[in-house]
């Protein structure tokens, strides 16, 4: 890998207009007062890195559930999947990954499966690290059915700063594990609802890498050594 590739990451096309806006504002700030211009340059660089979209190496072993987001595991608890997905009233293990404004915000599918239900719901913009953000905030929920018939729910949740959830898939699409399916602008959270009886292999506070970090193993059941 060249040294340049360590610092210069590919940028998602969604970020181009925002970087352009930041750059123009920086030029205006230079005309007003040079120190303000340099602050603008710093914010422009931050905006570029916010929309970075690096390649990831997704594990290929069958049965693995991969983190859909970069960030920190903020919650692990039983919870009922969003009602709009129609997955029933029984609680499933929910793993929440909180993304700060410094994380890469491109979201990736945790498993390979058919997108059988896609449901967007407007809502509030509470701090995404709070538990009630799962029920109160703007969200986009995906129900994925794997080849063995089991299902996983993935929910994009807007945060305190985020105001725009994006997704690029539609119902009926097949999504590969690690494949990009969406993005949330400027701070947010991803919830994953694991199939019944599948334990998470991560802990609260653990750093996650979208498309790479193993979140669970579908071959394990609660009580197995892992």
């Amino acid at each position: 890998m060249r040294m340049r590739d360590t610092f210069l990451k590919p940028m998602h096309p969604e970020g181009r207009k925002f970087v352009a806006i930041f750059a123009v504002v920086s030029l205006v700030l230079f005309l007003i007062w040079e120190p303000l211009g340099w602050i603008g340059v710093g914010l422009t660089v931050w905006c570029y890195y916010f929309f970075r979209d690096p390649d990831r190496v997704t594990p290929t072993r069958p049965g693995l559930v991969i983190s859909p987001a970069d960030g920190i595991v903020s919650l692990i608890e039983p919870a009922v999947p969003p009602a709009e997905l129609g997955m029933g009233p029984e609680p499933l293990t929910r793993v929440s990954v909180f993304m700060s404004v410094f994380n890469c915000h491109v979201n990736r599918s945790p498993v390979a499966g058919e997108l059988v239900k896609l449901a967007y719901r407007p809502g509030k913009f509470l701090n995404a690290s709070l538990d009630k953000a799962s029920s109160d905030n703007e969200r986009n929920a995906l129900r994925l059915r794997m080849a063995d018939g089991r299902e996983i729910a993935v929910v994009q949740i807007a945060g305190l700063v985020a105001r725009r959830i994006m997704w690029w898939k539609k119902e009926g699409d097949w999504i590969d594990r690690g494949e990009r399916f969406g993005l949330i602008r400027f701070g947010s959270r991803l919830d994953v609802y694991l199939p019944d009886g599948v334990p998470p292999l991560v802990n609260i506070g653990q750093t996650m890498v979208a498309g790479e970090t193993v979140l669970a193993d579908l071959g394990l059941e609660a009580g197995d050594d892992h």
Side-chain angles (χ1 to χ4, degrees):
M1 178 182 292
R2 293 174 296 181
M3 181 65 70
R4 181 185 64 183
D5 296 333
T6 302
F7 300 100
L8 296 180
K9 302 296 184 182
M11 183 176 66
H12 192 275
E14 176 65 21
R16 293 171 184 167
K17 57 186 175 184
F18 290 97
V19 172
I21 292 170
F22 273 71
V24 170
V25 171
S26 297
L27 290 175
V28 174
L29 292 176
F30 269 117
L31 295 176
I32 297 172
W33 189 39
E34 184 175 336
L36 287 178
W38 286 112
I39 293 174
V41 169
L43 291 174
T44 302
V45 172
W46 165 79
C47 185
Y48 162 77
Y49 271 93
F50 177 89
F51 286 103
R52 66 194 182 276
D53 186 15
D55 292 330
R56 297 286 166 81
V57 180
T58 301
T60 58
R61 184 162 69 81
L64 296 181
V65 180
I66 308 302
S67 177
D70 286 13
I72 300 294
V73 177
S74 59
L75 292 169
I76 300 176
E77 60 187 1
V80 177
E84 58 267 28
L85 289 181
M87 296 180 67
E90 296 301 319
L92 300 173
T93 299
R94 180 177 70 195
V95 180
S96 301
V97 180
F98 175 73
M99 297 179 285
S100 77
V101 293
F102 298 105
N103 290 123
C104 172
H105 274 57
V106 175
N107 307 143
R108 296 170 180 263
S109 179
V111 297
E114 180 187 359
L115 179 54
V116 295
K117 182 69 175 179
L118 178 69
Y120 170 78
R121 199 202 72 169
K124 300 177 182 179
F125 298 98
L126 303 174
N127 188 325
S129 64
L130 299 176
D131 179 45
K132 60 182 179 180
S134 290
S135 58
D136 294 349
N137 280 23
E138 174 192 10
R139 69 187 183 216
N140 183 54
L142 298 84
R143 178 178 174 181
L144 297 171
R145 181 173 297 149
M146 296 171 282
D148 64 3
R150 286 189 287 182
E151 296 183 334
I152 276 182
V154 186
V155 186
Q156 298 171 285
I157 301 172
L160 186 65
V161 181
R163 289 296 186 275
R164 176 64 169 147
I165 296 175
M166 304 188 67
W167 60 94
W168 311 307
K169 299 296 181 179
K170 63 182 185 301
E171 291 182 2
D173 284 350
W174 181 270
I175 308 177
D176 290 328
R177 180 168 55 188
E179 183 179 352
R180 300 165 177 86
F181 73 85
L183 177 151
I184 317 177
R185 295 179 190 157
F186 305 118
S188 41
R189 170 174 144 190
L190 264 287
D191 285 350
V192 177
Y193 293 81
L194 298 173
D196 185 36
V198 175
L201 298 180
V202 295
N203 296 303
I204 292 177
Q206 183 172 338
T207 298
M208 309 296 281
V209 178
E212 292 190 355
T213 305
V214 175
L215 191 151
D217 186 339
L218 296 171
L220 294 177
E221 296 182 357
D224 289 348
D225 291 333
H226 53 270

